[in-house]
C-alpha cells in the first residue's frame, strides 16, 4: 500500500520539533515496518494520484482544510484530527455551529469537524479523542485508535549521565512542561507516593502552568528536570 502524508505546510518550519511531525514519523515507521510505502506531500509538486492508495491528513483545522477537501475528491482520506485537550466539549460544539450557520465565520474547530465528516476513516490518538470527536464535534465517521508508541530501547538512559535510572522504574517526559496541553501537572501528581521517578526533558515555559510545575519540582523528591536537550544529544 502506498500512503500520501500531508499536513499544514507550517509544520515543516518547526524543523525536527513539534508533536504533529513526531506523530507522523512514528506512524510512518509503523507502516514501513509492515511493508507499506509513505510519501510526504510537497506543495510545489503535483502528486501522481494514481500512484497512491490513500491519503493520511494530520492536524485537521483551517490550515489543512483546503488541502484535505481537494484530496478527498481524489483519494480515500484518513484524518488524524489531533484535538487540543484543553478545549471543553461545549466550545467544540459552539465552533461547529458557527462554522455551519454563519458562512462568513470560519473556525479551526469547525473546519476540523468538516474534515472529519469528509474522511473515510478517522485515526485517533486515544479513546478520549474519539469521545471528543463524537460528543464535541458531533462526528460519527468510522474511527480507529492507533497508539504511536516509542520503543523502550530508544529511551534508555545514557550511562554516566543518567545511568542511575538504568535499572529503576521511571517516566520520561519530553516537551514543554509549562504547556497546559502536555498535562505535566497531572503526571507529576500521579507518581507521588509511588516508587517511580519522572525525568522532565525540555523547557518549562512561563505562565500559570509553568509556575505550578516549578513548584511541584521543588516539592517532589522523585521529579528531576533535565532541561532542554539538543535533538542530536537525545
Amino acid at each position: 500500500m502506498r500512503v500520501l502524508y500531508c499536513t499544514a505546510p507550517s509544520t515543516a518550519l518547526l524543523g525536527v520539533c513539534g508533536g504533529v511531525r513526531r506523530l507522523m514519523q512514528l506512524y510512518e515507521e509503523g507502516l514501513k515496518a509492515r511493508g507499506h510505502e509513505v510519501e510526504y506531500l510537497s506543495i510545489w509538486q503535483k502528486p501522481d494520484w494514481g500512484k497512491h492508495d490513500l491519503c493520511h491528513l494530520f492536524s485537521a483545522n483551517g490550515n489543512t482544510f483546503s488541502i484535505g477537501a481537494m484530496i478527498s475528491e481524489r483519494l480515500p482520506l484518513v484524518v488524524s484530527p489531533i484535538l487540543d485537550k484543553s478545549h471543553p466539549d461545549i466550545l467544540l460544539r459552539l465552533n461547529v455551529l458557527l462554522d455551519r450557520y454563519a458562512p462568513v465565520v470560519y473556525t479551526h474547530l469547525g473546519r476540523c469537524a468538516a474534515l472529519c465528516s469528509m474522511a473515510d476513516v478517522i485515526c485517533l490518538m486515544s479513546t478520549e479523542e474519539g469521545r471528543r470527536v463524537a460528543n464535541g464535534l458531533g462526528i460519527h465517521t468510522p474511527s480507529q485508535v492507533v497508539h504511536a508508541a516509542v520503543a523502550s530501547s530508544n529511551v534508555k538512559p545514557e550511562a554516566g549521565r543518567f545511568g542511575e535510572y538504568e535499572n529503576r522504574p521511571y517516566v520520561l517526559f519530553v516537551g514543554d512542561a509549562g504547556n497546559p496541553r502536555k498535562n505535566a501537572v497531572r503526571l507529576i501528581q500521579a507518581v507521588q507516593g509511588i516508587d517511580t521517578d519522572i525525568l522532565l526533558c525540555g523547557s518549562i515555559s512561563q505562565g500559570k502552568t509553568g509556575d505550578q510545575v516549578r513548584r511541584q519540582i521543588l516539592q517532589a523528591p522523585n521529579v528531576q528536570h533535565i532541561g532542554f536537550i539538543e535533538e542530536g544529544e537525545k
Side-chain angles (χ1 to χ4, degrees):
M1 181 174 66
R2 294 178 175 176
V3 183
L4 181 65
Y5 268 20
C6 69
T7 188
S10 58
T11 301
L13 299 178
L14 296 172
V16 296
C17 303
V20 174
R21 182 190 183 98
R22 185 58 181 144
L23 182 66
M24 295 174 76
Q25 291 173 332
L26 290 171
Y27 281 177
E28 177 187 5
E29 291 170 7
L31 286 173
K32 287 184 174 179
R34 290 164 175 79
H36 303 300
E37 298 178 28
V38 174
E39 179 181 333
Y40 285 75
L41 175 68
S42 169
I43 61 173
W44 298 112
Q45 183 175 349
K46 182 179 179 180
D48 181 353
W49 300 112
K51 173 182 172 183
H52 301 96
D53 297 296
L54 62 86
C55 174
H56 192 160
L57 182 145
F58 293 79
S59 192
N61 53 49
N63 296 322
T64 55
F65 177 78
S66 59
I67 297 174
M70 183 180 296
I71 290 176
S72 69
E73 298 176 355
R74 294 167 171 81
L75 291 172
L77 182 64
V78 177
V79 170
S80 287
I82 311 184
L83 281 173
D84 189 330
K85 292 183 176 63
S86 64
H87 295 328
D89 286 354
I90 187 65
L91 181 61
L92 299 182
R93 297 190 196 103
L94 178 60
N95 277 262
V96 171
L97 290 173
L98 282 172
D99 211 82
R100 183 177 301 163
Y101 297 110
V104 296
V105 178
Y106 296 109
T107 67
H108 281 303
L109 292 171
R111 299 288 84 180
C112 177
L115 279 169
C116 288
S117 68
M118 294 178 194
D120 294 280
V121 175
I122 299 175
C123 182
L124 302 164
M125 296 185 292
S126 65
T127 53
E128 168 62 14
E129 186 176 41
R131 186 197 65 76
R132 291 161 61 76
V133 168
N135 296 346
L137 299 182
I139 303 299
H140 300 281
T141 299
S143 61
Q144 178 67 49
V145 175
V146 179
H147 298 290
V150 180
S152 60
S153 59
N154 294 334
V155 295
K156 286 184 178 178
E158 180 183 349
R161 186 172 188 183
F162 304 108
E164 68 269 27
Y165 291 100
E166 187 171 0
N167 298 310
R168 290 172 53 190
Y170 70 97
V171 176
L172 177 65
F173 175 98
V174 181
D176 178 9
N179 185 332
R181 293 182 297 170
K182 303 297 184 180
N183 225 3
V185 170
R186 185 173 296 178
L187 175 63
I188 294 172
Q189 292 171 343
V191 299
Q192 298 314 301
I194 62 176
D195 187 24
T196 300
D197 290 358
I198 294 180
L199 303 183
L200 299 177
C201 175
S203 60
I204 303 178
S205 59
Q206 299 297 321
K208 181 179 178 181
T209 301
D211 293 342
Q212 188 173 355
V213 169
R214 291 186 188 89
R215 289 194 297 271
Q216 287 179 310
I217 292 172
L218 293 175
Q219 297 168 1
N222 60 338
V223 178
Q224 181 181 168
H225 181 218
I226 301 171
F228 180 79
I229 296 179
E230 294 290 344
E231 189 67 24
E233 298 179 20
K234 293 180 181 177

